[in-house]
Amino acid sequence: MGSTLSCVEILTVLLKRYIRLSGDPLTKDWLVLSKGHAAPALYALLADIGSIHYGELMKLQSLDSILQGHPDIAIPGVDMSTGSLGQGLSFGMGVASWIKSRGGVGRVYVVMGDGEQDEGQVWEAMTDAVHRGLDNLIVIIDFNGYQLDGKLSEVKPKHYMPLIWRTVGWEVFLCDGHAVASIVSALDGAIRSRKPAVIFAKTVRGKGLKQLEDTHIQRVE
Amino acid sequence: MVINTPRDAIGTVLCELGSEVADLVVITADVGRATRANLFGSKFPDRYFNVGIAEQHMVSFAAGLASAGAVPVICAFSMFITRAWEQIRNTLGRMNLNVKIIGTHSGFSDHPDGSSHQSLEDIALMRVIHNMSVVVPADVKDILRSLPVIIKEVKGPLYFRVGRDYSPSITDEYDYEYRPGNVYILEEGSDLAIVAAGPVLQDALEASHKLKKYGIKSTVINLINVKPTDEGAIEKVARNCGRIVTIEEHSVFGGVGSTIAEILTQRYPVPMKVIGVLGYGRSAKSVRELLDFYGLNSESIVKASLELFNGKSKQSTK
């Protein structure tokens, strides 16, 4: 729940302002929620833009619901089945590569978690993007400061991540992940970038629910 | 051009298909030269993706390409593809994506490199993934007849298991067209059936010949389609022959023997012997040495067959 709430504004801005829907895989914009555990935020937005019915939301994780605990392509509007961390960036790069090689106009947005940066596959992927010239690829990292077992600083520090991405050759942007204007400004910059771009969005885990804010607590009792 | 090795066959077929299938792309992980995927790369550079030594990324990257409309073929060492098992399971399998995985250097084919490079578990690991097909061609001819059909006609994830260079000519003299899901009966006899996949099919045919002098007439099956396979044909053979020996260049767990046993325990159980590997492999100067060292040869098949006849030849039981 906490990491769902930390990326609500990010997903809202993406889906309501940037993502262009289309039936053509080379024309549409793709959204990969690599941090699949934030699925409820994605589902709420999908209901808001009309991809799924609002009534479905309260059935989340029920046996008779299309809304799985983690995003699944059987759900209208979901572009990648996720849930296992560290895989969305590679997938997004495959999509972005094909769009570019076929002269498409679609962009690929990949939303990752900060804890997710621990996965080795993230390194495998992020070191492969710059030389491919994937200027249609934008990564947003929801930097809420927590991973499953606690604060990043206690489990595995990640404060150096922006430097690493920049050194590898990515265009790096920073923003306030709860301020719409700040997110928009970073995304506009990322879209203008001629290199693959990554936005580190500073967020608060559990934003909006006082019992959860800036804690590792998973659920509201 | 004469093609003698599995990897040369792979490279050649992919190059030929590149012109025919406009959306065909090949992805490799710094083994373009070793797998001959680079032949495709030099002909179609804009459809060739070498992602570096990054197998997990390679699989998810191919998944993205497939989702966007490409027809991806992964070419890498079978052993190191298995380190991306979870990506294969969670993305290729779960999303049922049209990605073909060609695992080269399988079994003992990378004989000098030893156990770290010798994949003896890959059939088992791939077979358990829902939606995943598993194809194990016996020789170069089998690759040439099956791979074009697979890339052009089969939709969905598929694991294609080949070796590096060791490839005795086995199926050249047999006239069959590859169809997904089929099995091929190369020799027919009603006393015993020998089921093999991969280059050890040669040992199966050799054993079948040797068994004749014991008065045992055997059926030999090329189980090129391990999954899905022709269960009806397997049952029919079991009913006709009543005894089955399986042989594979793979662990005895979860591979060819298990496939046959799973089918027959539910349809028509018969006594079986499963010949395969227990262990991790080791270095040797040739594949043949390793096959013999681990007992993957016609002698073992003959021995197992005779054991199914209670240690006696068929003639002496009469």
Side-chain angles (χ1 to χ4, degrees):
Chain A
M1 189 71 177
S3 70
T4 289
L5 292 171
S6 67
C7 65
V8 169
E9 289 87 349
I10 294 168
L11 292 177
T12 304
V13 171
L14 281 175
L15 278 161
K16 306 270 278 191
R17 186 179 169 114
Y18 287 91
I19 303 264
R20 297 163 295 183
L21 303 175
S22 162
D24 174 11
L26 304 178
T27 305
K28 68 175 256 175
D29 289 335
W30 293 64
L31 174 60
V32 176
L33 186 62
S34 193
K35 49 169 287 184
H37 51 281
L42 175 64
Y43 298 158
L45 264 301
L46 289 180
D48 205 41
I49 64 169
S51 291
I52 60 173
H53 296 295
Y54 270 111
E56 201 65 31
L57 293 177
M58 295 316 286
K59 290 173 21 189
L60 173 70
Q61 295 178 2
S62 305
L63 192 56
D64 65 345
S65 172
I66 56 167
L67 299 184
Q68 301 300 298
H70 291 85
D72 191 290
I73 51 163
I75 303 163
V78 171
D79 288 330
M80 178 191 181
S81 298
T82 53
S84 177
L85 293 173
Q87 303 181 18
L89 177 54
S90 301
F91 180 94
M93 287 173 55
V95 173
S97 296
W98 191 241
I99 290 174
K100 272 197 85 75
S101 86
R102 283 294 177 262
V105 296
R107 291 193 193 98
V108 181
Y109 297 93
V110 179
V111 176
M112 302 176 83
D114 47 5
E116 187 176 5
Q117 305 302 306
D118 285 355
E119 290 285 2
Q121 190 180 347
V122 175
W123 175 257
E124 293 185 1
M126 62 96 87
T127 50
D128 193 35
V130 178
H131 75 107
R132 296 199 181 282
L134 298 178
D135 56 3
N136 56 347
L137 173 70
I138 296 172
V139 175
I140 303 162
I141 298 176
D142 174 5
F143 222 90
N144 64 28
Y146 286 85
Q147 52 195 114
L148 201 54
D149 270 346
K151 288 185 176 175
L152 301 186
S153 56
E154 289 162 5
V155 180
K156 197 173 191 182
K158 278 167 267 287
H159 54 275
Y160 43 76
M161 278 296 164
L163 284 174
I164 290 179
W165 285 71
R166 195 176 70 179
T167 304
V168 168
W170 287 68
E171 190 86 50
V172 176
F173 297 85
L174 308 174
C175 78
D176 176 343
H178 298 302
V180 169
S182 180
I183 299 169
V184 166
S185 163
L187 278 168
D188 285 345
I191 287 169
R192 280 194 304 270
S193 168
R194 294 190 172 174
K195 299 195 284 184
V198 57
I199 299 168
F200 283 83
K202 182 74 195 82
T203 59
V204 176
R205 199 173 179 285
K207 178 72 174 177
L209 277 179
K210 289 297 169 211
Q211 310 102 293
L212 294 191
E213 276 192 8
D214 202 24
T215 74
H216 71 281
I217 298 168
Q218 295 289 334
R219 290 184 174 77
V220 192
E221 295 305 325
Chain B
M1 176 187 162
V2 181
I3 302 165
N4 292 318
T5 70
R7 50 182 175 168
D8 285 340
I10 298 296
T12 307
V13 170
L14 291 178
C15 275
E16 283 168 8
L17 289 175
S19 312
E20 249 179 282
V21 183
D23 293 335
L24 182 67
V25 294
V26 173
I27 307 101
T28 190
D30 199 34
V31 285
R33 287 198 295 171
T35 62
R36 305 292 188 260
N38 67 336
L39 298 177
F40 182 92
S42 31
K43 204 168 165 194
F44 307 101
D46 59 328
R47 287 192 273 147
Y48 178 66
F49 301 91
N50 189 341
V51 301
I53 309 167
E55 292 79 11
Q56 302 171 64
H57 170 54
M58 170 179 70
V59 169
S60 305
F61 185 84
L65 283 165
S67 289
V71 179
V73 175
I74 286 171
C75 272
F77 288 15
S78 56
M79 170 53 74
F80 305 117
I81 285 168
T82 62
R83 78 188 275 154
W85 185 88
E86 192 245 328
Q87 282 78 1
I88 296 170
R89 188 267 186 199
N90 258 332
T91 306
L92 301 193
R94 199 157 59 110
M95 292 173 71
N96 198 16
L97 291 173
N98 188 27
V99 176
K100 306 294 177 290
I101 304 172
I102 299 179
T104 66
H105 296 61
S106 70
F108 292 129
S109 67
D110 189 358
H111 61 88
D113 278 323
S115 53
S116 63
H117 283 55
Q118 292 165 352
S119 67
L120 298 168
E121 304 83 7
D122 52 323
I123 296 176
L125 287 167
M126 296 302 157
R127 207 167 65 83
V128 294
I129 295 174
H130 185 59
N131 291 330
M132 176 70 73
S133 298
V134 178
V135 176
V136 184
D139 60 1
V140 166
K141 177 75 181 176
D142 248 5
I143 294 171
L144 298 178
R145 56 163 74 92
S146 64
L147 191 54
V149 176
I150 285 165
I151 290 175
K152 286 192 277 190
E153 296 181 28
V154 178
K155 303 290 173 228
L158 182 143
Y159 179 65
F160 194 80
R161 184 199 210 229
V162 298
R164 188 181 73 168
D165 295 331
Y166 176 76
S167 183
S169 162
I170 306 165
T171 67
D172 284 81
E173 60 188 271
Y174 295 94
D175 184 29
Y176 56 89
E177 269 179 43
Y178 174 83
R179 293 306 309 160
N182 279 10
V183 299
Y184 298 96
I185 296 176
L186 305 188
E187 299 294 332
E188 280 192 83
S190 55
D191 299 326
L192 171 94
I194 308 167
V195 180
V200 290
L201 181 63
Q202 187 197 34
D203 306 87
L205 287 165
E206 214 175 278
S208 171
H209 185 72
K210 287 181 181 175
L211 283 166
K212 284 177 188 158
K213 72 176 179 204
Y214 295 94
I216 297 171
K217 296 189 188 75
S218 54
T219 288
V220 177
I221 296 179
N222 178 5
L223 195 80
I224 180 170
N225 290 303
V226 175
K227 184 194 169 196
T229 196
D230 188 344
E231 300 195 10
I234 301 294
E235 179 187 337
K236 198 173 157 200
V237 165
R239 285 182 184 274
N240 285 344
C241 300
R243 301 167 187 85
I244 292 189
V245 177
T246 65
I247 180 161
E248 61 205 289
E249 196 179 329
H250 182 270
S251 163
V252 292
F253 302 112
V256 171
S258 300
T259 298
I260 301 300
E262 283 167 21
I263 294 167
L264 293 183
T265 46
Q266 297 178 79
R267 296 179 75 127
Y268 190 79
V270 296
M272 277 184 69
K273 293 278 182 187
V274 174
I275 299 173
V277 183
L278 272 173
Y280 291 104
R282 54 181 298 120
S283 290
K285 294 295 183 188
S286 74
V287 175
R288 192 65 255 175
E289 269 188 302
L290 284 169
L291 293 176
D292 290 335
F293 182 83
Y294 285 97
L296 305 185
N297 54 24
S298 60
E299 289 79 17
S300 299
I301 299 171
V302 168
K303 185 168 170 278
S305 303
L306 293 179
E307 280 166 15
L308 287 175
F309 285 94
N310 296 320
K312 297 166 194 155
S313 71
K314 199 188 172 204
Q315 280 167 337
S316 64
T317 60
K318 279 178 183 164

